[in-house]
Amino acid sequence: MFNRNRGLRRVAALASISLVAGCGVFSSSTGNSGPIVVGTTSAPSTLDPAGSWDGSWELFRNVYQTLLAYPDGATTPQPDAARKCAFTDSGDRTYRCELRSGLKFADGDKLDAQAVKYSIDRIRSINAPSGPAGLLGSLDRVQVIGDREVVFHLNKADTTFPFVLATPAMSIVDPDDYPAHTLRKGDSVHGSGPYTLKSYDDGKRAELVRNDNYQGFADRQNDAVTIRYFQDSATMVKALRSGDIDVTYRGLAASDIVALEAHRSTDLQLIDGTGTDISYLVFNPEDPWAKLPAVRKAVAQLVDRSAIAHTVYKDTVDPLYSMVPAGLTGHTTDFFDDYGDPSTSKARKILADAGITQRVPLTFWYTTDRYGSETGQMFQQLKQQLDDSGLFTITLRSRPWKTYVVGYQKGEYPVFGRGWFPDFPDADNFIAPFVGEQNALGTPYPSPVITGKLLPESRRESDRGEVVKEFEEAQQILVNDARLIPLWQGRQYIAASDDISGGERALDPSTIMMMWELHRKTSW
C-alpha cells in the first residue's frame, strides 16, 4: 500500500531546491551557458509518431505539436495547436477544434486543418504493430472545414477523446514529408513543437533548439536542450555528478535514488513527486500452462509485492493491487482484498482444486533496457518467490527492448513483464489498452463486459469523478481473470545540478518531461 510519508517526502524534496540554492535566484537564463543536458535511459524506438506507443513520446512532446496538451499544473487537456476545442453535440460524438491562425512547421511549411486530418488518418492507415492506432477506436472519420477547422466524428460517445488528442501519438506532421501509408525513415523530424530536432544519433543523443515558428502555450525557459541516452543508471548518475549532464529523469535506479537522498549536497538536488507508472505481468492465453486460470491465480496468490518494493526497489516504488494506480478515480485494492497476503497453502489449494499436482513450469520474459536497472533483480525475486513455494519451476529469459517488443507481439512469451506510462491521467487508460482482440500487449484478451458495456458506459460520462462504479467492476473482472497481475506503482524522481530550476514543473500528467520548463539560475 502507499507510504503515508510520501507527501512529506515530496514537500521536503521540493523545499531542498531553495535550500541548496545559496545565492541563486529563480530566473531564467536563456542561451548564455549552452544547452541544458538531460540524461535518460529511455531512448526513442522511432521518430515517427505513427509508429510509437512507448517512451518515444518523451521526444515527441518537445518537437511535435498536438491540438491539445497539458500546460503546467493542468490535469485536463488544454489547447495548444488549437485555439479552442469542444464537443458540439449532446451525445459527445462530434468534437470540433479550431486551429490558431498562422501556424507553421519548423521549416516554414503551412500547418492547416488538412495537415491535422492527414496526421490522424495516416496513423490508422499505417496501423503499425507498435503504433498508437488502438487509441483511435472511437474515431469514425475526420472532417476539414476551411483551413482552420477540424471535426472529429466518433462512432460512439467518448468523453476521453480529448485526452487521446493530447497524447504525443497524435502529433501533427507535415504531409509533404511523411508518407501516408508507411512509416517515415531517417533521423530528422518535421514538426511544429517548441523545439526543432537539430541532430539525432540513434540511442545516443538528440539535440534540440528553439523553434522560432512555434505557436502554443509552452513558455520556453531555455534556448536549447540536449538529451543524452544512457544504457544504465550508474553511468548516468556518474555523468550528473561530474557535470557532464545537468538533469536526469527516466531510469534512475533505486540504489542511486537512495544514495542521492542520503548524501544531499549543495551541488545536487532530488525531486520526488507522485507517479502513475506501473509494472505488471502479462499471461499469454496461447501457452499451455499460462492459459490455465488456476496457474495464473496461484501466481497471484504467491507474489510478494512488498518484498519486491522493499528489497529490490528500496521503497522507491509502492506495492500495487490493481491495474489502476492510486491517485486516479477508480483505484481499488482488489488483488489484496481477494488474495490477501502471499500464501503457499492457498496457492497449493488453488492448483489442487484444478487437478494440478505437479510443479508448474513457466518461462518469464523481461526486457533488459527499458524499465530501469532493477528489472532483472525483480524477476530474480519473482523466480525465488515462486520456486521456493515448491509449486513452480521458473525459467528467466530476457532481450533488449527492440527485439523484446517483436517477441511479445508475436506471442512468443508465456509470461512477460511490461511497464506502463499513462497516455493520459484517467482510469480508462489503465484498462482499455490491455483488453480486446487487438491491444497494446499483442495478446488478445476478449472481455466483452469490459469492452462492450463498462468502457462505453464510462465514456458517456463527462464528469470523470462519476465513473467509479464502472471501473471498480472492470477491475474485479481483471482480478477474476488474473490475465494481468499488477506489481508496483512508481514515483517520479528528477535529479539535477543545483543551478537548474523548473524540474518540479517539468512533468505533465502522463509523466512526460516538458523540456521547456528547465532553466539555469542566475546569481546575484
Side-chain angles (χ1 to χ4, degrees):
M1 309 307 291
F2 259 41
N3 185 337
R4 295 182 183 274
N5 294 324
R6 178 173 176 170
L8 295 176
R9 296 177 67 233
R10 184 172 190 271
V11 170
L14 295 179
S16 71
I17 297 172
S18 59
L19 290 174
V20 301
C23 61
V25 178
F26 286 82
S27 60
S28 60
S29 174
T30 57
N32 296 325
S33 305
I36 291 175
V37 185
V38 178
T40 176
T41 61
S42 183
S45 59
T46 176
L47 296 183
D48 189 333
S52 170
W53 197 348
D54 60 25
S56 305
W57 289 9
E58 195 92 57
L59 181 62
F60 297 171
R61 174 63 79 206
N62 291 278
V63 297
Y64 292 104
Q65 195 172 18
T66 47
L67 290 171
L68 303 166
Y70 299 95
D72 177 36
T75 56
T76 56
Q78 306 296 318
D80 189 16
R83 189 180 76 84
K84 61 180 180 179
C85 292
F87 281 105
T88 58
D89 66 324
S90 59
D92 295 324
R93 294 181 58 172
T94 305
Y95 194 73
R96 182 185 298 263
C97 290
E98 178 186 331
L99 299 181
R100 296 174 186 263
S101 101
L103 288 174
K104 296 179 181 179
F105 290 100
D107 63 358
D109 285 358
K110 180 180 180 182
L111 193 167
D112 57 11
Q114 190 60 48
V116 175
K117 172 178 167 58
Y118 181 89
S119 301
I120 304 299
D121 285 347
R122 75 184 289 269
I123 292 172
R124 298 201 295 178
S125 174
I126 295 171
N127 195 24
S130 56
L135 287 170
L136 294 170
S138 64
L139 179 62
D140 180 31
R141 61 187 176 91
V142 185
Q143 176 188 7
V144 168
I145 302 175
D147 280 349
R148 292 175 52 201
E149 288 193 53
V150 185
V151 183
F152 299 92
H153 297 277
L154 309 183
N155 52 40
K156 53 192 171 187
D158 185 0
T159 57
T160 69
F161 189 72
F163 289 94
V164 172
L165 289 180
T167 67
M170 304 300 132
S171 295
I172 304 166
V173 300
D174 190 338
D176 292 338
D177 296 298
Y178 289 76
H181 303 294
T182 59
L183 294 176
R184 185 174 184 272
K185 298 180 180 179
D187 292 337
S188 62
V189 162
H190 291 266
S192 60
Y195 298 98
T196 297
L197 184 62
K198 179 181 178 182
S199 67
Y200 182 73
D201 188 354
D202 187 21
K204 296 180 179 179
R205 179 185 300 263
E207 295 185 5
L208 314 182
V209 296
R210 177 184 288 252
N211 173 16
D212 292 331
N213 286 329
Y214 171 71
Q215 292 188 61
F217 66 76
D219 181 13
R220 289 162 294 188
Q221 299 296 305
N222 61 68
D223 286 331
V225 173
T226 295
I227 305 173
R228 285 184 55 189
Y229 301 109
F230 292 84
Q231 291 297 311
D232 59 78
S233 174
T235 307
M236 183 168 66
V237 171
K238 182 179 179 181
L240 175 68
R241 292 186 182 279
S242 67
D244 291 337
I245 62 176
D246 301 303
V247 184
T248 68
Y249 178 37
R250 291 213 192 276
L252 277 175
S255 58
D256 290 318
I257 293 170
V258 171
L260 286 166
E261 285 185 317
H263 303 288
R264 291 190 187 276
S265 64
T266 56
D267 59 349
L268 291 178
Q269 54 180 307
L270 181 68
I271 301 168
D272 172 5
T274 302
T276 52
D277 57 302
I278 67 172
S279 176
Y280 58 99
L281 294 176
V282 183
F283 288 78
N284 186 345
E286 300 302 318
D287 180 79
W289 285 108
K291 72 179 182 181
L292 301 177
V295 168
R296 303 194 299 264
K297 292 178 180 181
V299 172
Q301 182 63 70
L302 290 168
V303 169
D304 189 339
R305 296 167 177 81
S306 294
I308 291 171
H310 180 69
T311 305
V312 178
Y313 289 94
K314 315 299 182 187
D315 298 317
T316 61
V317 302
D318 295 293
L320 182 63
Y321 296 94
S322 75
M323 289 299 289
V324 176
L328 294 184
T329 298
H331 167 73
T332 70
T333 56
D334 284 346
F335 270 92
F336 183 81
D337 298 340
D338 281 27
Y339 290 97
D341 292 325
S343 170
T344 297
S345 61
K346 290 181 180 179
R348 182 179 291 108
K349 185 176 187 305
I350 291 171
L351 293 172
D353 287 348
I356 301 171
T357 56
Q358 70 178 90
R359 287 183 74 127
V360 177
L362 283 175
T363 301
F364 280 28
W365 282 82
Y366 64 93
T367 180
T368 57
D369 58 353
R370 194 65 178 178
Y371 303 123
S373 305
E374 296 86 4
T375 304
Q377 298 173 44
M378 179 181 76
F379 274 83
Q380 287 289 346
Q381 174 74 222
L382 285 168
K383 171 180 168 58
Q384 181 179 337
Q385 291 176 7
L386 297 176
D387 284 352
D388 286 353
S389 72
L391 303 175
F392 289 89
T393 300
I394 304 299
T395 302
L396 298 182
R397 295 284 185 269
S398 62
R399 285 176 177 169
W401 176 252
K402 286 191 176 182
T403 53
Y404 183 74
V405 172
V406 174
Y408 74 66
Q409 288 172 346
K410 290 182 177 179
E412 295 178 359
Y413 311 148
V415 185
F416 60 97
R418 278 295 309 268
W420 187 252
F421 299 97
D423 304 323
F424 51 86
D426 190 277
D428 183 284
N429 193 236
F430 289 87
I431 295 176
F434 311 135
V435 296
E437 290 292 338
Q438 290 185 315
N439 58 52
L441 303 174
T443 55
Y445 184 1
S447 185
V449 175
I450 294 179
T451 58
K453 177 179 180 289
L454 298 175
L455 288 176
E457 286 177 357
S458 72
R459 290 170 177 173
R460 286 194 288 269
E461 179 55 66
S462 57
D463 183 350
R464 304 307 290 164
E466 297 297 322
V467 294
V468 172
K469 179 178 177 295
E470 288 83 0
F471 287 124
E472 287 180 344
E473 187 174 342
Q475 287 176 90
Q476 187 59 58
I477 291 172
L478 297 181
V479 172
N480 294 342
D481 293 343
R483 283 279 308 275
L484 310 168
I485 298 181
L487 299 173
W488 53 257
Q489 174 175 350
R491 303 175 192 165
Q492 298 182 92
Y493 290 93
I494 296 176
S497 63
D498 172 52
D499 70 337
I500 296 295
S501 191
E504 71 278 11
R505 299 185 300 276
L507 302 178
D508 80 359
S510 52
T511 69
I512 291 173
M513 180 170 277
M514 301 178 289
M515 304 294 180
W516 59 84
E517 293 286 358
L518 303 173
H519 58 87
R520 300 187 191 281
K521 304 169 189 173
T522 58
S523 51
W524 293 104

